[in-house]
Amino acid sequence: MEQESLAKMIGILFMSRTYAHMAHLKTGSFAKHKALNGFYDSIVDLTDTLAETSQGIYGKMDIPFTDMKGDVSDPIGALESHLAMITNLNKRTEKAFIDNIVQEIQALYYQTLYLLKELD
C-alpha cells in the first residue's frame, strides 16, 4: 500500500470514529449504543498504530480530512460504506505488519457489524 492510500485510509478512519460516536449518542437501542461505543474506543488505538507505523516508514504524512459519510440513524449502512472505502484503498504491500494492522481494522468493522445486526 502506498503512502497516499495509507494517508487516505487514516483520514477515513478518523471520520468513521467520529461518525460512530455521533451514532452512539443518537441511538435508542442499548445494544447498538454499546456496539458503537466498543467500535469508537477500539478504532482510535488501531488508527493510531497504523498512522505511527506508516509514518515510521514514510515520514510525516499529509492525512486528508474526510467529510462525514453516512446517516447517524443507519450505523449498519454507514459502517459498511466506510469498510468498503477502506477495502478499496487496501493494497497488499511487502510489509506484512502494515497488512496485519489493516486486517485488524477490518476485523473490528466486521465484529461491530455483527453486533449491530444480530444483537439489537
Side-chain angles (χ1 to χ4, degrees):
M1 186 177 315
E2 63 184 78
Q3 180 179 354
E4 185 178 327
S5 292
L6 282 166
K8 285 180 186 176
M9 184 181 295
I10 293 163
I12 291 166
L13 292 169
F14 286 149
M15 176 274 299
S16 194
R17 180 254 166 274
T18 300
Y19 167 87
H21 203 158
M22 292 173 66
H24 154 88
L25 293 171
K26 180 169 176 114
T27 187
S29 161
F30 183 72
K32 286 181 180 178
H33 183 81
K34 294 306 281 179
L36 291 164
N37 190 157
F39 177 84
Y40 72 72
D41 280 347
S42 298
I43 201 67
V44 170
D45 288 338
L46 289 168
T47 302
D48 200 51
T49 298
L50 180 62
E52 290 175 352
T53 303
S54 298
Q55 291 188 139
I57 298 166
Y58 299 110
K60 295 273 185 183
M61 295 190 304
D62 185 20
I63 298 167
F65 177 81
T66 303
D67 288 330
M68 191 67 64
K69 308 278 190 243
D71 178 348
V72 291
S73 9
D74 180 21
I76 293 169
L79 290 182
E80 285 176 338
S81 74
H82 301 173
L83 177 59
M85 288 186 276
I86 291 163
T87 300
N88 288 336
L89 287 170
N90 187 25
K91 299 174 180 78
R92 299 279 178 233
T93 68
E94 67 280 356
K95 295 169 182 63
F97 53 90
I98 293 285
D99 295 335
N100 290 341
I101 298 166
V102 173
Q103 289 169 355
E104 284 185 58
I105 289 166
Q106 290 170 315
L108 176 62
Y109 274 90
Y110 283 113
Q111 177 187 23
T112 304
L113 287 167
Y114 163 74
L115 294 172
L116 290 171
K117 291 175 183 178
E118 302 297 329
L119 302 179
D120 190 19

